[in-house]
Amino acid sequence: MNTKGRLKLLILTGCLSLFITLQTAYGEDAWRTDFDAACAQSDDAMAFSIPELKKLIEQCDRVQNSIEAQEDTVRKVFLRRLQMCRNLYVFVLETKMHEQKPK
Amino acid sequence: MIKMFFVVPILLAAAGIAWAQGGMKKKKPLPCEFGSVTINNYSRQAGMPPVVFDHWVHRQYYTCRLCHVDLGFGMTVGSTKVRAVDNMKGYFCGTCHNGKMVHGGKRIFESCTKEYTREEYNRCVKCHTLERSAVKENEFYRFSKKMPNERLGNGINWEIAEEKGLIKPVDYLEGVSSKKTNLKVTSDFAIKTKVEGMPDIIFSHKKHTVWNGCGLCHPEIFIGVKKGTTKYSMVELFEGKYCGVCHDKVAFPQTDCQRCHTKQTQE
Protein backbone atom coordinates (compact mmCIF):
# COMPACT_ATOMS: atom_id res chain seq x y z
CA MET A 1 0.00 0.00 0.00
CA ASN A 2 1.42 3.40 -0.97
CA THR A 3 1.54 6.53 1.21
CA LYS A 4 -1.68 7.94 -0.27
CA GLY A 5 -3.49 4.70 0.41
CA ARG A 6 -2.21 4.60 4.01
CA LEU A 7 -3.32 8.18 4.55
CA LYS A 8 -6.81 7.37 3.22
CA LEU A 9 -6.98 4.34 5.50
CA LEU A 10 -5.84 6.43 8.46
CA ILE A 11 -8.46 9.11 7.78
CA LEU A 12 -11.14 6.46 7.32
CA THR A 13 -10.18 4.75 10.60
CA GLY A 14 -10.18 8.15 12.37
CA CYS A 15 -13.62 9.01 11.02
CA LEU A 16 -14.95 5.60 11.99
CA SER A 17 -13.65 5.86 15.58
CA LEU A 18 -15.02 9.41 15.87
CA PHE A 19 -18.41 8.17 14.62
CA ILE A 20 -18.43 5.28 17.11
CA THR A 21 -17.38 7.58 19.98
CA LEU A 22 -20.01 10.18 19.15
CA GLN A 23 -22.69 7.55 18.69
CA THR A 24 -21.86 5.96 22.04
CA ALA A 25 -21.81 9.35 23.77
CA TYR A 26 -25.06 10.38 22.14
CA GLY A 27 -26.59 6.98 22.91
CA GLU A 28 -25.70 7.35 26.58
CA ASP A 29 -27.18 10.82 26.69
CA ALA A 30 -30.25 9.75 24.77
CA TRP A 31 -31.49 7.16 27.27
CA ARG A 32 -30.81 9.54 30.17
CA THR A 33 -32.72 12.34 28.43
CA ASP A 34 -35.60 9.92 27.78
CA PHE A 35 -35.49 8.78 31.41
CA ASP A 36 -35.62 12.36 32.68
CA ALA A 37 -38.44 13.20 30.31
CA ALA A 38 -40.48 10.26 31.58
CA CYS A 39 -39.76 10.48 35.30
CA ALA A 40 -39.30 14.21 35.96
CA GLN A 41 -43.07 14.55 35.93
CA SER A 42 -43.88 11.88 38.48
CA ASP A 43 -44.78 14.45 41.16
CA ASP A 44 -47.48 15.80 38.84
CA ALA A 45 -48.96 12.35 38.22
CA MET A 46 -52.35 13.26 39.71
CA ALA A 47 -52.72 16.21 37.33
CA PHE A 48 -52.35 14.12 34.15
CA SER A 49 -55.25 12.87 32.06
CA ILE A 50 -55.66 9.18 31.22
CA PRO A 51 -54.13 9.51 27.70
CA GLU A 52 -51.21 11.51 29.12
CA LEU A 53 -50.56 8.86 31.76
CA LYS A 54 -50.70 6.09 29.14
CA LYS A 55 -48.16 8.00 27.06
CA LEU A 56 -45.84 8.38 30.05
CA ILE A 57 -46.08 4.65 30.81
CA GLU A 58 -45.19 3.89 27.18
CA GLN A 59 -42.23 6.27 27.51
CA CYS A 60 -41.11 4.38 30.62
CA ASP A 61 -41.34 1.04 28.80
CA ARG A 62 -39.27 2.37 25.91
CA VAL A 63 -36.53 3.70 28.16
CA GLN A 64 -36.51 0.43 30.14
CA ASN A 65 -35.10 -1.43 27.12
CA SER A 66 -32.28 1.10 26.83
CA ILE A 67 -31.48 0.91 30.55
CA GLU A 68 -31.39 -2.88 30.41
CA ALA A 69 -28.58 -2.61 27.87
CA GLN A 70 -26.44 -0.52 30.27
CA GLU A 71 -23.78 -1.85 32.63
CA ASP A 72 -24.62 -3.53 35.93
CA THR A 73 -24.63 -0.58 38.36
CA VAL A 74 -26.44 1.82 36.02
CA ARG A 75 -29.05 -0.89 35.47
CA LYS A 76 -29.48 -1.40 39.22
CA VAL A 77 -29.94 2.30 39.98
CA PHE A 78 -32.02 3.39 37.02
CA LEU A 79 -34.29 0.34 36.76
CA ARG A 80 -35.34 0.96 40.36
CA ARG A 81 -35.88 4.66 39.71
CA LEU A 82 -37.82 3.87 36.56
CA GLN A 83 -39.91 1.24 38.31
CA MET A 84 -40.87 3.71 41.03
CA CYS A 85 -42.13 6.35 38.64
CA ARG A 86 -43.77 3.83 36.29
CA ASN A 87 -45.59 2.20 39.21
CA LEU A 88 -46.86 5.60 40.29
CA TYR A 89 -48.19 6.38 36.80
CA VAL A 90 -49.84 2.95 36.55
CA PHE A 91 -51.44 3.37 39.93
CA VAL A 92 -52.79 6.85 39.21
CA LEU A 93 -54.03 5.61 35.83
CA GLU A 94 -55.88 2.69 37.44
CA THR A 95 -57.38 4.99 40.07
CA LYS A 96 -58.59 7.45 37.43
CA MET A 97 -60.02 4.67 35.26
CA HIS A 98 -61.77 3.18 38.27
CA GLU A 99 -63.29 6.58 39.08
CA GLN A 100 -64.61 6.90 35.54
CA LYS A 101 -66.46 3.57 35.67
CA PRO A 102 -70.20 4.03 36.19
CA LYS A 103 -71.17 3.00 39.72
CA MET B 1 -60.50 8.87 82.32
CA ILE B 2 -62.71 6.81 79.99
CA LYS B 3 -60.17 7.46 77.24
CA MET B 4 -57.57 5.64 79.29
CA PHE B 5 -59.62 2.42 79.06
CA PHE B 6 -59.13 2.55 75.29
CA VAL B 7 -55.62 3.94 75.08
CA VAL B 8 -54.03 1.63 77.66
CA PRO B 9 -55.08 -1.63 75.87
CA ILE B 10 -53.63 -0.24 72.63
CA LEU B 11 -50.31 0.52 74.26
CA LEU B 12 -50.32 -2.90 75.88
CA ALA B 13 -51.06 -4.52 72.51
CA ALA B 14 -48.17 -2.60 70.95
CA ALA B 15 -45.84 -3.70 73.73
CA GLY B 16 -47.08 -7.26 73.22
CA ILE B 17 -46.23 -7.12 69.54
CA ALA B 18 -42.77 -5.78 70.28
CA TRP B 19 -42.32 -8.58 72.82
CA ALA B 20 -43.54 -11.26 70.42
CA GLN B 21 -41.29 -10.05 67.60
CA GLY B 22 -38.08 -9.96 69.50
CA GLY B 23 -38.81 -12.47 72.22
CA MET B 24 -38.00 -9.71 74.67
CA LYS B 25 -38.50 -5.99 74.86
CA LYS B 26 -36.22 -4.17 72.46
CA LYS B 27 -33.69 -1.86 74.02
CA LYS B 28 -34.63 1.74 73.37
CA PRO B 29 -31.86 3.25 71.23
CA LEU B 30 -29.94 6.26 72.46
CA PRO B 31 -30.83 9.50 70.64
CA CYS B 32 -27.54 9.30 68.69
CA GLU B 33 -28.29 5.70 67.67
CA PHE B 34 -31.87 6.24 66.57
CA GLY B 35 -32.09 5.75 62.80
CA SER B 36 -28.79 3.86 62.57
CA VAL B 37 -28.89 0.92 60.20
CA THR B 38 -26.34 -1.86 59.84
CA ILE B 39 -25.73 -2.94 56.26
CA ASN B 40 -23.97 -6.23 55.82
CA ASN B 41 -24.55 -7.61 52.35
CA TYR B 42 -20.98 -8.06 51.23
CA SER B 43 -18.76 -6.38 53.87
CA ARG B 44 -17.91 -9.51 55.87
CA GLN B 45 -17.05 -11.41 52.68
CA ALA B 46 -14.63 -8.61 51.83
CA GLY B 47 -13.05 -8.83 55.27
CA MET B 48 -14.53 -5.55 56.45
CA PRO B 49 -16.89 -4.83 59.34
CA PRO B 50 -20.49 -4.05 58.26
CA VAL B 51 -21.46 -0.49 57.38
CA VAL B 52 -23.25 1.44 60.13
CA PHE B 53 -25.23 4.16 58.44
CA ASP B 54 -26.42 7.06 60.56
CA HIS B 55 -29.51 8.74 59.19
CA TRP B 56 -29.05 11.83 61.41
CA VAL B 57 -25.74 12.66 59.74
CA HIS B 58 -27.30 12.65 56.30
CA ARG B 59 -30.81 14.00 56.86
CA GLN B 60 -29.48 17.34 58.05
CA TYR B 61 -28.10 17.87 54.52
CA TYR B 62 -30.36 15.92 52.15
CA THR B 63 -34.04 15.08 51.76
CA CYS B 64 -35.19 11.45 52.09
CA ARG B 65 -36.25 11.55 48.43
CA LEU B 66 -32.80 12.44 47.16
CA CYS B 67 -31.24 9.21 48.48
CA HIS B 68 -34.23 6.87 48.32
CA VAL B 69 -35.36 7.93 44.85
CA ASP B 70 -32.58 9.69 42.96
CA LEU B 71 -29.71 7.61 44.30
CA GLY B 72 -31.73 4.40 44.26
CA PHE B 73 -31.46 3.31 47.90
CA GLY B 74 -34.21 0.92 48.99
CA MET B 75 -36.47 1.52 51.97
CA THR B 76 -35.48 -1.59 53.90
CA VAL B 77 -32.10 -2.50 55.33
CA GLY B 78 -29.95 -4.51 52.93
CA SER B 79 -32.44 -4.41 50.07
CA THR B 80 -30.21 -2.28 47.81
CA LYS B 81 -27.23 -4.63 47.96
CA VAL B 82 -24.65 -1.92 47.39
CA ARG B 83 -21.22 -3.21 46.40
CA ALA B 84 -17.93 -1.35 46.82
CA VAL B 85 -17.58 -1.37 43.05
CA ASP B 86 -20.91 0.50 42.70
CA ASN B 87 -19.59 3.24 45.00
CA MET B 88 -16.30 3.36 43.11
CA LYS B 89 -18.19 3.94 39.87
CA GLY B 90 -19.89 6.96 41.45
CA TYR B 91 -23.29 5.50 42.31
CA PHE B 92 -25.11 5.03 45.65
CA CYS B 93 -22.76 6.32 48.44
CA GLY B 94 -20.16 7.10 45.76
CA THR B 95 -22.45 9.72 44.21
CA CYS B 96 -21.35 12.15 46.93
CA HIS B 97 -18.57 10.22 48.67
CA ASN B 98 -16.14 10.53 45.79
CA GLY B 99 -13.43 12.69 47.31
CA LYS B 100 -14.38 15.50 44.95
CA MET B 101 -17.81 16.74 45.97
CA VAL B 102 -17.79 19.70 48.32
CA HIS B 103 -20.64 20.37 50.77
CA GLY B 104 -20.69 23.32 53.15
CA GLY B 105 -17.08 24.11 52.30
CA LYS B 106 -15.96 20.58 53.21
CA ARG B 107 -14.78 17.93 50.77
CA ILE B 108 -16.80 14.73 51.18
CA PHE B 109 -14.50 11.77 51.76
CA GLU B 110 -14.20 9.03 49.15
CA SER B 111 -16.23 5.93 50.01
CA CYS B 112 -14.50 2.85 48.63
CA THR B 113 -11.23 2.01 46.91
CA LYS B 114 -9.86 -1.21 45.50
CA GLU B 115 -6.63 -0.96 47.45
CA TYR B 116 -5.86 1.04 50.55
CA THR B 117 -2.93 1.86 52.75
CA ARG B 118 -2.92 1.61 56.52
CA GLU B 119 -3.59 5.36 56.68
CA GLU B 120 -6.46 5.12 54.22
CA TYR B 121 -8.03 2.36 56.31
CA ASN B 122 -9.01 5.09 58.77
CA ARG B 123 -11.31 6.39 56.07
CA CYS B 124 -12.85 2.93 55.53
CA VAL B 125 -13.73 2.60 59.20
CA LYS B 126 -15.68 5.85 59.12
CA CYS B 127 -18.50 3.72 57.66
CA HIS B 128 -17.34 0.13 58.18
CA THR B 129 -17.52 0.02 61.93
CA LEU B 130 -19.44 -1.75 64.61
CA GLU B 131 -17.83 -0.28 67.65
CA ARG B 132 -19.45 2.75 69.17
CA SER B 133 -17.45 5.83 68.42
CA ALA B 134 -17.17 8.48 71.13
CA VAL B 135 -16.22 11.04 68.47
CA LYS B 136 -19.43 10.36 66.57
CA GLU B 137 -21.51 10.55 69.75
CA ASN B 138 -19.94 13.88 70.64
CA GLU B 139 -20.62 15.14 67.12
CA PHE B 140 -24.26 14.16 67.53
CA TYR B 141 -24.67 15.87 70.89
CA ARG B 142 -22.95 19.03 69.64
CA PHE B 143 -25.28 19.05 66.63
CA SER B 144 -28.45 18.22 68.55
CA LYS B 145 -27.81 21.02 71.05
CA LYS B 146 -28.45 23.54 68.26
CA MET B 147 -31.65 21.81 67.13
CA PRO B 148 -35.23 22.11 68.43
CA ASN B 149 -35.95 19.40 70.97
CA GLU B 150 -38.26 16.46 70.64
CA ARG B 151 -39.19 13.89 73.26
CA LEU B 152 -38.44 10.69 71.37
CA GLY B 153 -36.34 9.35 68.50
CA ASN B 154 -33.23 11.44 67.92
CA GLY B 155 -34.57 14.02 70.32
CA ILE B 156 -34.62 16.47 67.41
CA ASN B 157 -37.69 17.98 65.81
CA TRP B 158 -36.48 17.91 62.21
CA GLU B 159 -39.59 19.57 60.86
CA ILE B 160 -39.18 22.66 63.07
CA ALA B 161 -35.44 22.62 62.39
CA GLU B 162 -36.19 23.06 58.71
CA GLU B 163 -38.91 25.64 59.33
CA LYS B 164 -36.43 27.72 61.35
CA GLY B 165 -33.78 27.39 58.64
CA LEU B 166 -31.43 25.47 60.95
CA ILE B 167 -31.18 22.75 58.33
CA LYS B 168 -31.63 23.17 54.58
CA PRO B 169 -31.89 19.69 53.09
CA VAL B 170 -30.82 19.55 49.45
CA ASP B 171 -33.34 17.90 47.10
CA TYR B 172 -31.50 18.14 43.80
CA LEU B 173 -28.11 16.95 42.61
CA GLU B 174 -26.90 18.15 39.23
CA GLY B 175 -26.41 15.24 36.85
CA VAL B 176 -28.23 12.84 39.19
CA SER B 177 -31.71 14.19 39.86
CA SER B 178 -34.27 14.80 37.14
CA LYS B 179 -35.35 18.44 36.90
CA LYS B 180 -38.82 18.60 38.41
CA THR B 181 -41.67 21.01 38.24
CA ASN B 182 -43.04 22.57 41.42
CA LEU B 183 -44.98 19.98 43.37
CA LYS B 184 -48.70 20.61 43.74
CA VAL B 185 -49.56 19.51 47.24
CA THR B 186 -52.79 17.73 48.10
CA SER B 187 -54.57 19.15 51.13
CA ASP B 188 -54.40 17.62 54.60
CA PHE B 189 -57.05 15.08 55.50
CA ALA B 190 -58.34 13.27 58.53
CA ILE B 191 -57.99 9.54 59.05
CA LYS B 192 -60.64 8.21 61.37
CA THR B 193 -59.42 6.11 64.26
CA LYS B 194 -61.15 2.90 65.26
CA VAL B 195 -60.75 3.49 68.96
CA GLU B 196 -63.26 5.66 70.73
CA GLY B 197 -61.68 8.59 72.52
CA MET B 198 -58.52 8.57 70.42
CA PRO B 199 -58.28 11.76 68.33
CA ASP B 200 -58.33 11.24 64.55
CA ILE B 201 -55.11 11.54 62.58
CA ILE B 202 -54.60 14.67 60.55
CA PHE B 203 -52.40 13.53 57.74
CA SER B 204 -50.38 16.28 56.13
CA HIS B 205 -49.31 15.61 52.56
CA LYS B 206 -47.34 18.86 52.67
CA LYS B 207 -45.15 17.66 55.53
CA HIS B 208 -44.48 14.37 53.80
CA THR B 209 -44.04 15.40 50.16
CA VAL B 210 -41.54 18.14 50.98
CA TRP B 211 -38.96 15.48 51.82
CA ASN B 212 -40.37 12.47 49.96
CA GLY B 213 -42.14 13.52 46.76
CA CYS B 214 -44.99 11.20 45.68
CA GLY B 215 -43.25 8.11 44.31
CA LEU B 216 -41.49 7.15 47.52
CA CYS B 217 -44.78 6.33 49.28
CA HIS B 218 -47.15 5.55 46.38
CA PRO B 219 -47.75 2.83 45.48
CA GLU B 220 -44.91 0.90 47.15
CA ILE B 221 -45.84 1.73 50.75
CA PHE B 222 -49.39 3.03 50.41
CA ILE B 223 -51.19 1.30 47.59
CA GLY B 224 -54.04 3.77 47.82
CA VAL B 225 -53.86 7.22 46.27
CA LYS B 226 -57.39 8.12 47.24
CA LYS B 227 -58.28 8.56 50.89
CA GLY B 228 -59.63 5.39 52.45
CA THR B 229 -58.28 2.97 49.82
CA THR B 230 -55.62 1.55 52.12
CA LYS B 231 -56.97 0.11 55.39
CA TYR B 232 -54.46 -0.37 58.13
CA SER B 233 -54.28 -0.98 61.83
CA MET B 234 -51.85 0.10 64.53
CA VAL B 235 -50.76 -3.54 64.78
CA GLU B 236 -49.57 -3.46 61.16
CA LEU B 237 -47.93 -0.10 61.69
CA PHE B 238 -45.96 -1.42 64.67
CA GLU B 239 -44.96 -4.40 62.51
CA GLY B 240 -43.20 -1.94 60.20
CA LYS B 241 -45.83 -1.62 57.49
CA TYR B 242 -47.27 1.61 56.04
CA CYS B 243 -46.27 4.55 58.33
CA GLY B 244 -44.07 2.05 60.19
CA VAL B 245 -41.72 1.83 57.20
CA CYS B 246 -40.18 5.14 58.35
CA HIS B 247 -41.73 5.94 61.73
CA ASP B 248 -39.99 4.03 64.54
CA LYS B 249 -36.94 3.47 62.36
CA VAL B 250 -35.86 6.92 61.19
CA ALA B 251 -38.78 9.31 61.56
CA PHE B 252 -40.21 9.94 65.03
CA PRO B 253 -41.51 6.81 66.82
CA GLN B 254 -45.16 5.80 66.64
CA THR B 255 -45.35 5.71 70.41
CA ASP B 256 -45.38 9.52 70.22
CA CYS B 257 -49.17 9.27 69.70
CA GLN B 258 -50.05 12.96 69.72
CA ARG B 259 -47.74 13.78 66.83
CA CYS B 260 -50.25 12.11 64.46
CA HIS B 261 -53.48 11.86 66.46
CA THR B 262 -53.97 15.60 66.51
CA LYS B 263 -57.63 16.20 65.65
CA GLN B 264 -59.46 17.78 68.52
CA THR B 265 -62.36 15.69 69.71
CA GLN B 266 -65.56 17.14 71.10
CA GLU B 267 -65.84 16.50 74.81
Side-chain angles (χ1 to χ4, degrees):
Chain A
M1 196 187 280
N2 59 15
T3 325
K4 219 176 174 180
R6 275 187 199 155
L7 193 70
K8 270 187 186 171
L9 190 70
L10 199 70
I11 292 169
L12 196 72
T13 317
C15 288
L16 195 70
S17 4
L18 187 71
F19 173 74
I20 292 168
T21 315
L22 283 176
Q23 202 194 27
T24 314
Y26 178 75
E28 275 173 12
D29 281 353
W31 75 260
R32 186 58 216 263
T33 311
D34 291 346
F35 169 82
D36 285 338
C39 289
Q41 306 180 65
S42 60
D43 281 348
D44 292 329
M46 288 298 282
F48 290 122
S49 64
I50 289 176
E52 282 170 330
L53 285 163
K54 282 182 178 168
K55 206 176 152 193
L56 282 165
I57 294 163
E58 277 169 23
Q59 255 179 282
C60 288
D61 292 338
R62 269 201 304 275
V63 77
Q64 184 176 344
N65 297 329
S66 314
I67 296 172
E68 271 164 1
Q70 302 302 312
E71 62 95 12
D72 211 16
T73 311
V74 176
R75 236 180 14 238
K76 191 152 82 169
V77 173
F78 282 91
L79 281 180
R80 179 181 151 79
R81 288 179 67 174
L82 186 77
Q83 191 193 22
M84 283 175 92
C85 77
R86 190 189 183 278
N87 287 353
L88 181 68
Y89 293 143
V90 169
F91 194 80
V92 177
L93 175 71
E94 282 171 3
T95 309
K96 290 202 170 195
M97 285 168 84
H98 183 75
E99 277 173 358
Q100 274 192 355
K101 272 185 193 167
K103 285 170 189 169
Chain B
M1 188 63 194
I2 296 167
K3 281 181 192 174
M4 292 301 286
F5 287 108
F6 295 103
V7 175
V8 170
I10 290 175
L11 290 174
L12 285 173
I17 290 161
W19 184 280
Q21 276 182 331
M24 57 186 289
K25 198 181 171 197
K26 275 185 192 168
K27 192 186 141 212
K28 191 182 160 196
L30 292 170
C32 63
E33 291 170 343
F34 184 80
S36 282
V37 287
T38 304
I39 306 158
N40 192 17
N41 293 122
Y42 306 111
S43 300
R44 282 267 159 82
Q45 286 163 256
M48 298 291 285
V51 168
V52 176
F53 176 86
D54 287 311
H55 271 96
W56 75 264
V57 177
H58 294 82
R59 67 182 296 189
Q60 58 180 301
Y61 301 123
Y62 307 101
T63 61
C64 314
R65 200 202 62 78
L66 190 79
C67 300
H68 289 285
V69 177
D70 293 353
L71 303 194
F73 282 104
M75 293 295 284
T76 45
V77 181
S79 63
T80 318
K81 296 190 168 51
V82 181
R83 301 166 304 167
V85 71
D86 298 329
N87 293 332
M88 283 187 260
K89 283 182 203 165
Y91 292 93
F92 298 114
C93 314
T95 311
C96 302
H97 286 277
N98 53 16
K100 292 172 199 149
M101 191 182 269
V102 176
H103 190 100
K106 274 188 186 172
R107 196 172 290 276
I108 304 173
F109 67 88
E110 197 179 347
S111 50
C112 296
T113 46
K114 217 168 187 178
E115 288 167 351
Y116 48 86
T117 62
R118 190 180 282 245
E119 272 176 16
E120 283 169 336
Y121 184 74
N122 290 334
R123 204 182 63 224
C124 307
V125 295
K126 280 189 174 187
C127 308
H128 288 275
T129 179
L130 261 187
E131 285 172 30
R132 271 171 67 176
S133 154
V135 178
K136 227 179 199 179
E137 276 182 40
N138 282 337
E139 260 177 52
F140 173 80
Y141 288 110
R142 269 203 309 274
F143 167 74
S144 64
K145 259 185 186 176
K146 295 178 271 180
M147 295 292 128
N149 289 341
E150 187 54 73
R151 293 183 316 146
L152 304 169
N154 282 129
I156 297 170
N157 190 318
W158 296 93
E159 198 190 325
I160 296 177
E162 197 190 15
E163 270 171 27
K164 287 186 172 176
L166 297 168
I167 57 163
K168 291 178 181 117
V170 172
D171 192 44
Y172 178 84
L173 280 184
E174 190 65 48
V176 177
S177 311
S178 306
K179 280 199 175 82
K180 287 181 179 270
T181 48
N182 281 339
L183 180 66
K184 288 175 197 80
V185 181
T186 320
S187 354
D188 296 358
F189 60 87
I191 302 168
K192 213 160 173 50
T193 52
K194 292 169 191 163
V195 180
E196 202 182 318
M198 178 64 91
D200 288 345
I201 294 165
I202 301 292
F203 179 82
S204 167
H205 260 115
K206 194 183 166 194
K207 283 179 190 174
H208 288 81
T209 50
V210 71
W211 288 336
N212 303 323
C214 305
L216 193 61
C217 303
H218 299 292
E220 204 174 297
I221 300 171
F222 290 94
I223 53 162
V225 169
K226 286 284 170 196
K227 183 191 157 193
T229 318
T230 312
K231 303 274 183 207
Y232 36 77
S233 65
M234 279 311 296
V235 174
E236 288 170 305
L237 266 53
F238 279 113
E239 280 172 355
K241 292 175 190 163
Y242 308 116
C243 314
V245 172
C246 301
H247 289 280
D248 280 348
K249 296 185 183 102
V250 177
F252 66 81
Q254 296 175 104
T255 42
D256 204 353
C257 314
Q258 65 264 44
R259 288 287 298 268
C260 304
H261 291 272
T262 49
K263 194 178 180 186
Q264 293 299 313
T265 46
Q266 285 181 334
E267 294 292 327

